[in-house]
Amino acid sequence: MTRPPLNRHLAEFGTTIFAEMSQLAARTGAINLGQGFPDTDGPEEIREAAVRALRDGRGNQYPPGTGVPELRAAIADHQRDRYGIDLDPDTEVLVTAGATEAIAASLLALVAPGDEVIALEPYYDSYAACIAMAGGTRVPVTLRPHDGAYGLDLDELRAAVTDRTRLILLNTPHNPTGTVLTRAELTAVAELAIERDLLVVTDEVYEHLVFDDAEHLPIASLPGMRERTVTIGSAGKTFSFTGWKVGWITASPELTSAVRSAKQFLTYVSSGPFQYAIAEALRLPAAYYDTLRAEHAAKRDLLSEGLAQAGFAVYKPAGTYFVTTDIRPLGAEDGFAFCRSLPERAGVVAIPNAVFYDHREAGAPFVRFAFCKKTEVLEEAVSRLKHLS
Ligand SMILES: *Cc1c(COP(=O)(O)O)cnc(C)c1O
């Protein structure tokens, strides 16, 4: 008799594609442009700030459940100075173990069994797992490529709302497509949320990685959205310390306290000394953010041009660490098969976008490359990919 898997309600999630592809990279010596982490650490002075906190005995024991006051104040100031959103750091800011815990705690707190959650497909892999852990039903709304960029079909979004819809899970700037939702798109989402009395959970971990004339707009700053939005941020991508796992939510006191009710039983608290360091990081001068953007825009251009020369159709991202490509001009259709053979063929690892879809066929010919790597690494990847066509 075969027994159902022990994790039967999560069995569909298996091991992540990132583990498989990173193993493939290690085995073949391929350049890993699969997983999105920087290969250079963040600012020296912020690392020193973490060392100082450790040595001074700040954060070595359980920090306060909502996060250390210095960090909560810095997060509130950041939201006010950047976006004009005024927050009470004591009741409207909650520090989490990265955005990952912020996503989990938000969904566990706000989604009850049977609730429907609308998520933009392709979506970050933890969304589907957390919706399942909360007992919710995910309802994907597919972002579709059009004129060289991915966009949100507002009619499709509208049609996806039912009487059971509890919340819309947004991600902007969007991983993996690199789309930055526009003011018009966000205004339409806000109007729908208000009309149908929905909550919005918005993952904005790439808020500082927007390029050219793209602008990041938090939906919480739109009229009527403060009371119904949980905004998720993280230090990992902004400061190139993905291992420190310092993230946060900002929301109304009622929503913050709801999310905290789940968070307290996940990690309770985390990253004590790193919280003090990130409080300093958030107060870095504008030049830090300008340089971060300029450097990543240059890396994006380097990799995008190389991929185009190698024969891919490239969706030039307006934000994030990633560029999505279409492999059909190279005579391929199946992103999984393509990514499994790419290390042998060209010495590069990428991720098939289909893993981010419920409608796998909608994502089949798309492949994602990360450009948050050293320039020389990207140059080597580009020169290897030239031999593809
Ligand atoms: C990297 C990433 C996260 C996870 O952030 P952590 O702070 O490392 O937990 C969440 N959402 C998206 C879209 C990401 O790309």
Side-chain angles (χ1 to χ4, degrees), residues 97-101 103 124 127 171 175 203 205-206 234 236-237 242 245-247 322:
T100 305
E101 190 196 31
I103 294 161
Y124 187 63
Y127 299 171
N171 171 214
N175 172 8
D203 176 346
V205 302
Y206 295 103
S234 172
K237 311 288 163 55
T242 57
K245 297 301 286 187
V246 178
F322 306 106

Side-chain angles (χ1 to χ4, degrees), residues 108 111-115 130-137:
L108 288 170
V111 175
D115 286 349
C130 289
I131 294 167
M133 287 192 267
T137 304

Side-chain angles (χ1 to χ4, degrees), residues 34-337:
Q35 207 169 6
F37 62 88
D39 58 359
T40 315
D41 288 343
E44 180 63 33
E45 72 257 44
I46 302 306
R47 270 185 285 167
E48 286 305 320
V51 171
R52 251 187 291 117
L54 267 163
R55 289 225 170 92
D56 296 349
R58 287 177 295 141
N60 292 328
Q61 307 305 329
Y62 295 135
T66 52
V68 304
E70 289 84 346
L71 177 55
R72 281 185 282 111
I75 292 165
D77 289 350
H78 172 272
Q79 296 303 97
R80 186 197 56 223
D81 297 346
R82 291 253 154 201
Y83 309 121
I85 301 174
D86 269 307
L87 297 162
D88 177 344
D90 291 329
T91 58
E92 297 184 303
V93 178
L94 174 67
V95 176
T96 57
T100 305
E101 190 196 31
I103 294 161
S106 300
L107 294 171
L108 288 170
L110 302 173
V111 175
D115 286 349
E116 291 176 0
V117 176
I118 294 176
L120 306 185
E121 175 187 71
Y123 45 71
Y124 187 63
D125 57 350
S126 87
Y127 299 171
C130 289
I131 294 167
M133 287 192 267
T137 304
R138 68 180 182 272
V139 177
V141 170
T142 309
L143 295 176
R144 296 185 196 282
H146 182 69
D147 285 344
Y150 281 76
L152 176 59
D153 182 329
L154 295 166
D155 292 328
E156 239 179 276
L157 177 67
R158 223 161 236 294
V161 177
T162 74
D163 292 341
R164 288 213 299 266
T165 307
R166 173 68 165 160
L167 67 82
I168 300 176
L169 180 49
L170 289 183
N171 171 214
T172 184
H174 183 262
N175 172 8
T177 66
T179 284
V180 177
L181 295 178
T182 61
R183 180 176 289 271
E185 286 169 320
L186 290 166
T187 301
V189 174
E191 283 167 4
L192 182 62
I194 292 165
E195 178 192 322
R196 301 299 296 266
D197 194 21
L198 307 176
L199 299 172
V200 171
V201 173
T202 173
D203 176 346
E204 304 185 356
V205 302
Y206 295 103
E207 64 188 308
H208 290 292
L209 287 155
V210 291
F211 314 123
D212 309 328
D213 48 8
E215 219 185 304
H216 171 69
L217 178 70
I219 195 169
S221 67
L222 297 180
M225 292 307 290
R226 269 296 289 278
E227 313 81 67
R228 58 179 74 248
T229 304
V230 175
T231 304
I232 294 173
S234 172
K237 311 288 163 55
T238 298
F239 300 112
S240 301
F241 290 119
T242 57
W244 288 11
K245 297 301 286 187
V246 178
W248 51 84
I249 67 139
T250 52
S252 69
E254 199 187 354
L255 282 168
T256 302
S257 144
V259 175
R260 191 181 170 198
S261 71
K263 184 251 166 0
Q264 67 188 338
F265 299 121
L266 294 173
T267 57
Y268 177 48
V269 292
S270 57
S271 309
F274 297 126
Q275 292 192 28
Y276 290 96
I278 295 302
E280 293 190 30
L282 283 166
R283 299 192 190 284
L284 286 169
Y288 169 77
Y289 298 93
D290 294 343
T291 305
L292 179 81
R293 258 202 306 278
E295 284 177 359
H296 282 81
K299 289 171 194 276
R300 171 200 63 171
D301 292 344
L302 169 61
L303 184 61
S304 300
E305 280 154 29
L307 288 164
Q309 272 166 22
F312 294 84
V314 174
Y315 293 98
K316 197 173 180 181
T320 76
Y321 277 169
F322 306 106
V323 51
T324 282
T325 60
D326 188 335
I327 57 175
R328 284 172 292 190
L330 286 161
E333 299 264 329
D334 175 359
F336 276 103

Side-chain angles (χ1 to χ4, degrees), residues 25 30-36 303 307 322 348-351 368-373 377-378 381-382 385:
I31 296 175
N32 191 354
L33 303 185
Q35 207 169 6
L303 184 61
L307 288 164
F322 306 106
V348 173
V349 163
I351 297 289
R368 186 193 86 173
F369 293 82
F371 55 80
C372 49
K373 307 293 175 184
V377 171
L378 296 174
V382 163
L385 288 163

